[in-house]
């Protein structure tokens, strides 16, 4: 009987053609992630990594760094993925409960080393392979695994499959890469609001690269490690994980049926549906600050746990504060990268507004057996009126997609924040990713990603 990892590997290698829709969505996810990498390259978490590994960063490494220079593939994956996730502006992928692209894209970029000719289309196909593997692994353990408190674990296992596929692995080696990555899986959500949180994405990307390279060199693990006793499901699954008995693969790729959620706001995704609902109410009713006596939000249990900072002390905590994010979004009409600095989070008008905001979660009974419940915002006015709005999906999801123009605006914001030259030509160049014949040798591509590579 085939193990789950063998089934996933067989599926990935058997899918040899992709629709134009799947390729376009993969390209959009890659472009968005590169923008987030550039924006996050100056974050303290990334700067600390550069200091920690200063002696291993130079101009002669195999893989380019978004911070400049180059390093080994493992270190490049660690630093670039941490940068991609540092500002919490990278996408979400619900089937895996993962920041799929922040792990997967830097891991794939890290193995585009000299002497290996890889075209843009093959790169996107490897991205789609890694995404499908993440969804398949997540199928058996989520949402129980994520709700239990694990973060960036499923992403590491799935990304190992994408990296292995890009490196030319056969079915045996591809499955072995995922098995080894299972042994590396880690990331407690208790670290949210600290610089360890973006590091989870970096560790996951590094582990994916290392696992794939080890597997291709002949190291192997148990191929039933997901489902066996003392395996991934047993140890990491949580009380309600269902396992993989019902796992099937559709002709349509998971990026077509479920998509990835491109972030509109540079903060924890657990705030996004409430932010969108509040902005909807503001627009529909022409609400001003004086119209707000109080705001109540109702969110999922895991979202409430993620948002642990009602009175944030720094910009990292502010990204995990429903009170800060809602107050800022209402007062300014939107959220941008510039709203998450030490100076901005202490603005008196925001601090004065925040106490009007309360958050509660659904009960265990309400969530039981339901994959997804809407986040609800209730505004009470000084004259006692109650205005309510719910959002099941955030802006940027498959059901409420961002336009190409909105994607470009976000990308330009990321370039500005990363102190790169702001030009629409960069966005257009990356949107032609599938047509690049040799990514490794394309200087324009690498000059955009990595100064001084």
């Amino acid at each position: 009987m085939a193990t789950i990892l063998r089934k996933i590997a067989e599926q990935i290698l058997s899918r040899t053609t992709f629709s134009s829709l799947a390729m376009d969505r993969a390209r959009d996810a890659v472009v968005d992630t590169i923008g987030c990498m550039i924006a996050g390259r100056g974050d303290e978490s990334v700067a600390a990594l550069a200091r920690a590994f200063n002696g291993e960063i130079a101009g002669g490494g195999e893989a380019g760094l978004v911070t400049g220079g180059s390093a080994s593939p493992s270190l490049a994956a660690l630093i670039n993925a941490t940068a991609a996730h540092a500002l919490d502006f990278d996408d979400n992928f619900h089937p895996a409960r993962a920041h799929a692209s922040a792990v997967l894209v830097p891991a794939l970029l890290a193995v585009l080393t000299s002497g290996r000719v890889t075209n843009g289309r093959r790169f996107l196909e490897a991205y789609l392979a890694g995404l499908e593997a993440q969804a398949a692994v997540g199928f058996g353990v989520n949402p129980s695994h994520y709700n239990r408190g694990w973060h960036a674990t499923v992403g590491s296992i799935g990304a190992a499959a994408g990296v292995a596929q890009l490196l030319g692995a056969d079915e045996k080696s591809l499955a072995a890469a995922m098995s080894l990555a299972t042994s590396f899986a880690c990331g407690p959500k208790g670290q949210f609001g600290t610089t360890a949180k973006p590091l989870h994405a970096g560790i996951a990307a590094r582990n994916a690269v290392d696992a794939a390279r080890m597997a291709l060199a002949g190291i192997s693990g148990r191929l039933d490690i997901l489902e066996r006793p003392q395996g991934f499901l047993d140890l990491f699954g949580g009380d309600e994980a269902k396992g993989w008995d019902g796992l099937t693969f559709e002709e349509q790729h998971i990026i077509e049926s479920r998509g990835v959620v491109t972030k509109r706001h540079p903060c924890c995704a657990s705030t996004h549906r409430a932010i969108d609902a509040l902005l909807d109410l503001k627009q529909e009713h022409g609400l001003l600050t004086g119209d707000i006596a109080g705001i109540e939000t109702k969110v999922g249990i895991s979202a409430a746990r993620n948002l642990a900072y009602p009175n944030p002390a720094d910009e990292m905590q502010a990204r995990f504060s429903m009170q800060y994010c809602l107050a800022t979004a209402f007062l300014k009409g939107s959220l941008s990268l510039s709203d998450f600095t030490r100076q901005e989070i202490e603005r008196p008008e925001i601090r004065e507004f925040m106490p009007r905001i309360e958050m509660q979660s659904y009960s265990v009974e309400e969530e039981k057996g339901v994959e997804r419940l809407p986040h609800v915002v209730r505004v009470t006015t000084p004259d006692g009126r109650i205005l309510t709005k719910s959002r099941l999906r955030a802006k940027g999801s498959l059901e409420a997609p961002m336009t190409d123009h909105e994607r470009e605006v976000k990308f330009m914001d990321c370039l500005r924040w990363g102190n790169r030259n702001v030009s629409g030509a960069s966005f257009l160049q990356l949107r032609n990713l599938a047509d690049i014949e040799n990514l490794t040798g394309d200087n324009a591509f690498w000059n955009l990603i990595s100064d001084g590579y």
Side-chain angles (χ1 to χ4, degrees):
M1 182 176 177
T3 66
I4 303 304
L5 289 181
R6 289 298 291 264
K7 287 181 179 179
I8 296 172
E10 180 183 5
Q11 164 64 20
I12 286 173
L13 294 177
S14 68
R15 195 186 283 278
T16 57
T17 60
F18 297 89
S19 71
S20 58
L21 177 62
M23 294 295 286
D24 286 348
R25 287 184 177 168
R27 173 208 62 202
D28 287 344
V30 171
V31 173
D32 183 74
T33 306
I34 289 173
C36 292
M37 279 172 50
I38 293 170
R41 70 178 187 144
D43 188 75
E44 174 54 29
S45 60
V46 180
L49 281 178
R51 291 193 297 270
F53 296 100
N54 180 57
E56 299 170 49
I57 297 173
E62 298 174 82
L65 297 172
V66 71
T67 52
S70 56
S72 68
S74 295
L75 185 53
L78 175 69
I79 292 175
N80 290 344
T82 300
H85 193 43
L87 304 179
D88 248 286
F89 214 3
D90 53 297
D91 64 34
N92 290 100
F93 183 49
H94 292 311
R97 296 295 195 277
H99 291 277
S101 301
V103 175
L104 184 50
V105 173
L108 294 172
L109 289 172
V111 296
L112 292 178
T113 52
S114 59
R116 179 180 296 277
V117 176
T118 303
N119 62 41
R121 184 173 184 86
R122 185 144 186 268
F123 183 89
L124 293 177
E125 289 173 350
Y127 171 88
L128 290 168
L131 196 71
E132 188 164 34
Q134 289 189 46
V137 174
F139 176 89
V141 294
N142 280 317
S144 183
H145 169 76
Y146 181 79
N147 291 343
R148 189 169 188 170
W150 290 109
H151 176 245
T153 42
V154 170
S156 180
I157 301 168
V163 173
Q165 198 254 27
L166 187 61
L167 293 176
D170 59 16
E171 184 180 312
K172 180 180 178 182
S173 296
L174 199 150
M178 288 187 283
S179 176
L180 294 174
T182 304
S183 289
F184 300 155
C186 61
K189 286 167 62 180
Q191 296 281 29
F192 282 15
T194 74
T195 49
K197 200 263 189 177
L199 183 62
H200 289 172
I203 292 169
R206 180 189 64 187
N207 289 344
V209 168
D210 288 348
R213 297 174 82 194
M214 289 176 188
L216 286 164
I219 299 177
S220 61
R222 293 195 64 126
L223 297 186
D224 62 349
I225 195 61
L226 292 185
E227 66 270 32
R228 69 171 277 104
Q230 297 186 321
F232 191 68
L233 175 65
D234 191 8
L235 298 176
F236 287 75
D239 295 335
E240 298 178 7
K242 59 183 178 292
W244 290 271
D245 287 346
L247 176 66
T248 59
F249 296 98
E250 301 176 5
E251 181 178 350
Q252 197 178 42
H253 191 276
I254 195 74
I255 205 170
E256 298 174 77
S257 59
R258 297 294 298 273
V260 297
V261 183
T262 306
K263 280 192 172 183
R264 180 187 187 187
H265 315 294
C267 49
C268 179
S270 296
T271 67
H272 285 212
R273 287 184 277 161
I275 293 169
D276 291 344
L278 181 60
L279 292 178
D280 288 343
L281 285 174
K282 181 179 181 178
Q283 182 178 20
E284 291 168 9
H285 299 276
L287 296 175
L288 302 173
T289 306
D291 298 321
I292 307 296
I295 299 173
E296 297 177 357
T297 66
K298 188 172 185 178
V299 301
I301 294 172
S302 65
R305 290 173 178 167
N306 291 345
L307 304 173
Y309 301 96
N311 187 31
D314 57 39
E315 62 271 39
M316 182 61 77
Q317 291 184 7
R319 295 187 182 102
F320 296 87
S321 171
M322 180 68 86
Q323 289 76 9
Y324 178 81
C325 291
L326 281 187
T328 305
F330 184 84
L331 292 172
K332 300 187 70 173
S334 64
L335 285 169
S336 68
L337 290 166
S338 62
D339 292 315
F340 294 90
T341 65
R342 295 292 177 104
Q343 182 176 357
E344 284 296 308
I345 68 170
E346 295 300 335
R347 286 176 57 194
E349 60 269 34
I350 294 175
R351 289 290 173 170
E352 291 168 6
F353 194 87
M354 284 168 56
R356 305 185 204 182
I357 300 168
E358 297 181 0
M359 179 178 66
Q360 61 176 305
S361 70
Y362 287 99
S363 67
V364 173
E365 291 74 22
E366 287 175 308
E367 286 199 351
K368 192 169 185 177
V370 182
E371 180 184 3
R372 193 171 183 79
L373 288 167
H375 287 187
V376 182
V377 171
R378 174 184 289 187
V379 171
T380 302
T381 65
D383 60 4
R385 286 184 302 148
I386 296 177
L387 309 173
T388 303
K389 191 78 174 183
S390 66
R391 291 286 297 240
L392 184 63
R393 305 290 179 185
K395 177 70 174 179
S397 63
L398 197 62
E399 296 79 6
M402 293 174 67
T403 65
D404 287 345
H405 174 69
E406 288 170 330
R407 290 179 178 278
E408 183 174 4
V409 168
K410 175 181 174 178
F411 187 80
M412 295 297 114
D413 189 28
C414 287
L415 291 191
R416 270 186 221 96
W417 195 253
N419 294 316
R420 292 286 175 86
N421 292 329
V422 178
S423 167
S426 300
F427 182 73
L428 293 175
Q429 175 196 351
L430 287 178
R431 283 180 65 83
N432 291 322
L433 179 62
D435 298 325
I436 298 177
E437 290 297 324
N438 182 6
L439 284 175
T440 306
D442 192 290
N443 290 331
F445 175 76
W446 285 105
N447 286 338
L448 173 62
I449 294 174
S450 175
D451 286 340
Y453 175 56

